[in-house]
Amino acid sequence: MKKLNILSILLVTSFFTTTVFAGLLDKDVELSTLPPVVQDAILQNTQGGNIKNVEERLTKEKGLKVYKVEVKKADGTEIEYEVDESGRLIDLEED
């Protein structure tokens, strides 16, 4: 029983530690500092809007870089999307 309690505590602590520290690896970046293939992919997906923010994150699996982009369109709606380091669109959300 004591081993089960210790294991449970370790699992919960590990989950919260991973969740908290994952956000520390995110950082705002300037579009001009990114690789050209990433810049092109970001610009191709703005749907005519203005880029508000670009954030670089490391993925949990394989430690790959992903770029989260926030865009405000002319009609006031916002979109968020993610581009991987090869320039592939991997996620798109429209508000």
Side-chain angles (χ1 to χ4, degrees), residues 28-88:
D28 290 342
V29 293
E30 293 294 323
L31 181 65
S32 62
T33 64
L34 302 178
V37 68
V38 174
Q39 290 183 40
D40 291 344
I42 288 173
L43 293 171
Q44 288 174 4
N45 288 286
T46 61
Q47 299 179 15
N50 294 317
I51 297 172
K52 291 175 39 179
N53 189 45
V54 179
E55 186 177 272
E56 180 183 277
R57 337 173 133 180
L58 288 177
T59 62
K60 290 180 185 176
E61 64 251 358
K62 300 180 187 175
L64 299 175
K65 290 182 184 176
V66 172
Y67 302 92
K68 179 182 175 187
V69 183
E70 296 176 12
V71 174
K72 186 165 190 170
K73 294 170 41 174
D75 65 3
T77 59
E78 295 185 358
I79 59 173
E80 290 184 4
Y81 55 93
E82 292 183 351
V83 174
D84 70 11
E85 58 192 347
S86 70
R88 185 174 55 101

Side-chain angles (χ1 to χ4, degrees), residues 10-26:
L10 288 175
L11 286 173
V12 170
T13 303
S14 174
F15 171 76
F16 284 114
T17 303
T18 303
T19 304
V20 169
F21 288 114
L24 295 177
L25 300 177
D26 300 350

Side-chain angles (χ1 to χ4, degrees), residues 83-94:
V83 174
D84 70 11
E85 58 192 347
S86 70
R88 185 174 55 101
L89 180 67
I90 56 174
D91 187 33
L92 173 66
E93 295 179 16
E94 295 191 45

